Amino acid sequence: MPGQSGEKTEAPTPKRIQEAREKGQVAKSADLCAAVGLIAGLLILNFYGKSMMVSMMDLLTEYLSVDKMPATGQLVLDQAWRQAAMHFAAILAPMLLILFVIAIVVNLFQVGFMFVSKPLTPSFEKISPLAGFKRMFSARSAVKLMMSLLKVTIIATVAYFTIKSLMPEIMTISSLGFMQVLSVGGGMVFMLGMRLALVLLVLAIIDYSYQKYQMIQDLKMTKQEIKEEMKRMEGDPMMKQRRRQIARQLAMQRMSQAVPQADVIVTNPTHFAIALKYDPNEMDAPKVVAKGADYMAKRIREIAMENNVPIMERKPLARALYKSCEVGDSVPPELYKAVAEVLAYVFELAGKGFKRSIA
């Protein structure tokens, strides 16, 4: 159909995806990192929040006590604040370090190791009012707006029903002592926070999946783009054909030079042809100087006949030599006996006095 060649219907190639990655175009959900971090923070506070609170209260008691006043009766505020900040940081440091590591792990899970400078490069399109206007009123912006509204609605609904279920406990807080208020209030905050965090996590996973889908859609390619990329990666088909032709010509030239020097051609008789040469004074075992199948086998036989090189039909031996040897290889030991018999017969006919030194 007309126009089909321009439709982006093909899945992006690994090269296309890698190029997009180098430009910073990756699937990533900011909410996923926030949701996992919120869950981790709530769990840390639930298990270690009480000990952290006690440590902070002890620290405040120590710094606000009269013992901290110097002999002159004046407090050195700079030094006191510096020491207090260091002690508070030491209490909070383990939790902050864990959250920092979790944030890195979640980001690595989404995008892996990557450092690109392309997104930081100034671009007129990014500051163009017209481009910004188009992005603001695009279909993608409308989808993002709808997803954001849906997200806020779901989170608000969960928060409403959670608080509603906790109302009986909330009404009794006024009759509790300070420490009880902290305990009960902390439990309610933890329950509300965990429910919201889990909802946010589910929404973040959906958002991440959508981001991956949208990225694949954006990177889809036309059939023509696929062909052009294959040309760039593998080279022009005509050039490849030309290289193969040159390679065949060189192989044929080497074969034309090697076959006349062979002592015998072992054939299948039509499918395989292997040219063998053996010089007892220079070689430990016979060598394959040329081999070929089908058309190449035919050419080897033709060259052999033109140069009066003996041709012997040995089907099993020809198949074994073709499979086990490459040009330039020596005959493997398991084929010594069969090859020796062929060479002995050929050398006897030629009157070369062949010795069975390889048998």
Side-chain angles (χ1 to χ4, degrees), residues 61-104:
T61 302
E62 179 183 353
Y63 275 96
L64 295 177
S65 64
V66 178
D67 295 339
K68 282 291 179 180
M69 298 291 293
T72 58
Q74 294 183 356
L75 182 64
V76 184
L77 291 177
D78 289 344
Q79 183 179 0
W81 277 112
R82 205 173 289 119
Q83 290 179 350
M86 290 177 63
H87 288 145
F88 275 106
I91 295 172
L92 295 173
M95 182 179 74
L96 296 177
L97 180 61
I98 292 173
L99 293 178
F100 177 72
V101 172
I102 289 174
I104 292 176

Side-chain angles (χ1 to χ4, degrees), residues 255 259 264-276 288-302 304 311-312 318-319 321-322 327:
M255 185 182 69
V259 171
V264 65
I265 308 298
V266 181
T267 66
N268 192 28
T270 56
H271 293 298
F272 302 120
I274 297 90
L276 298 174
V288 175
V289 294
K291 76 170 193 175
D294 300 326
Y295 174 75
M296 293 290 284
K298 180 182 177 183
R299 286 293 301 141
I300 290 173
R301 291 194 304 272
E302 290 174 351
I311 299 174
M312 295 193 66
R319 286 196 296 268
L321 287 170
Y322 187 85
V327 175

Side-chain angles (χ1 to χ4, degrees), residues 297-309:
K298 180 182 177 183
R299 286 293 301 141
I300 290 173
R301 291 194 304 272
E302 290 174 351
I303 296 171
M305 287 187 288
E306 292 171 0
N307 293 273
N308 298 317
V309 179

Side-chain angles (χ1 to χ4, degrees), residues 5-42:
S5 60
E7 293 180 4
K8 296 190 175 185
T9 57
E10 307 303 307
T13 61
K15 186 174 185 297
R16 178 69 171 262
I17 294 174
Q18 182 61 32
E19 288 175 350
R21 181 180 175 83
E22 290 171 359
K23 296 177 182 177
Q25 189 176 350
V26 292
K28 181 181 177 183
S29 173
D31 291 341
L32 187 59
C33 186
V36 175
L38 180 58
I39 292 173
L42 288 170

Side-chain angles (χ1 to χ4, degrees), residues 204-222:
I205 293 173
I206 295 173
D207 179 54
Y208 177 65
S209 302
Y210 173 76
Q211 295 291 341
K212 289 192 72 173
Y213 166 79
Q214 190 63 56
M215 186 190 74
I216 295 298
Q217 292 298 114
D218 291 342
L219 296 179
K220 274 190 172 182
M221 307 170 70
T222 64

Side-chain angles (χ1 to χ4, degrees), residues 46 181-191:
N46 185 54
V181 170
L182 287 179
S183 178
V184 174
M188 289 190 292
V189 170
F190 176 75
M191 180 186 294

Side-chain angles (χ1 to χ4, degrees), residues 103-347:
I104 292 176
V105 171
V106 174
N107 278 293
L108 288 177
F109 166 77
Q110 292 188 83
V111 301
F113 287 96
M114 62 177 293
F115 177 78
V116 292
S117 58
K118 183 72 174 178
L120 303 177
T121 305
S123 172
F124 176 76
E125 187 178 351
K126 294 179 181 178
I127 60 175
S128 169
L130 181 60
F133 186 80
K134 288 181 179 179
R135 286 195 299 268
M136 187 182 301
F137 293 96
S138 63
R140 184 169 301 181
S141 298
V143 171
K144 285 185 178 180
L145 178 61
M146 291 178 60
M147 290 180 66
S148 298
L149 292 174
L150 181 62
K151 189 187 305 180
V152 170
T153 302
I154 293 174
I155 292 175
T157 302
V158 172
Y160 170 77
F161 283 105
T162 301
I163 294 173
K164 185 177 180 181
S165 66
L166 293 173
M167 281 305 295
E169 295 181 49
I170 295 174
M171 298 299 293
T172 61
I173 284 181
S174 59
S175 61
L176 301 176
F178 176 72
M179 295 306 297
Q180 290 178 313
V181 170
L182 287 179
S183 178
V184 174
M188 289 190 292
V189 170
F190 176 75
M191 180 186 294
L192 176 62
M194 281 301 293
R195 288 186 180 182
L196 294 178
L198 290 173
V199 171
L200 185 60
L201 178 62
V202 173
L203 294 174
I205 293 173
I206 295 173
D207 179 54
Y208 177 65
S209 302
Y210 173 76
Q211 295 291 341
K212 289 192 72 173
Y213 166 79
Q214 190 63 56
M215 186 190 74
I216 295 298
Q217 292 298 114
D218 291 342
L219 296 179
K220 274 190 172 182
M221 307 170 70
T222 64
K223 288 183 171 61
Q224 184 61 32
E225 287 174 335
I226 294 283
K227 291 179 182 178
E228 290 176 357
E229 184 171 297
M230 293 299 291
K231 283 183 181 180
R232 289 195 299 271
M233 292 178 64
E234 300 180 7
D236 193 307
M238 295 189 67
M239 291 300 296
K240 284 185 66 179
Q241 184 178 357
R242 177 60 179 163
R243 286 197 294 268
R244 285 196 297 265
Q245 184 179 356
I246 293 173
R248 283 197 299 268
Q249 289 174 352
L250 291 174
M252 193 70 70
Q253 186 177 356
R254 288 193 298 267
M255 185 182 69
S256 300
Q257 295 172 352
V259 171
Q261 305 300 320
D263 293 313
V264 65
I265 308 298
V266 181
T267 66
N268 192 28
T270 56
H271 293 298
F272 302 120
I274 297 90
L276 298 174
K277 182 175 179 59
Y278 180 53
D279 185 346
N281 298 321
E282 298 181 1
M283 303 177 186
D284 295 328
K287 288 188 176 181
V288 175
V289 294
K291 76 170 193 175
D294 300 326
Y295 174 75
M296 293 290 284
K298 180 182 177 183
R299 286 293 301 141
I300 290 173
R301 291 194 304 272
E302 290 174 351
I303 296 171
M305 287 187 288
E306 292 171 0
N307 293 273
N308 298 317
V309 179
I311 299 174
M312 295 193 66
E313 181 182 329
R314 293 291 188 273
K315 294 181 181 179
L317 179 59
R319 286 196 296 268
L321 287 170
Y322 187 85
K323 291 180 180 178
S324 61
C325 298
E326 296 296 331
V327 175
D329 290 350
S330 297
V331 171
E334 61 269 19
L335 298 179
Y336 278 179
K337 185 176 180 180
V339 171
E341 291 175 355
V342 171
L343 289 172
Y345 178 73
V346 171
F347 285 176

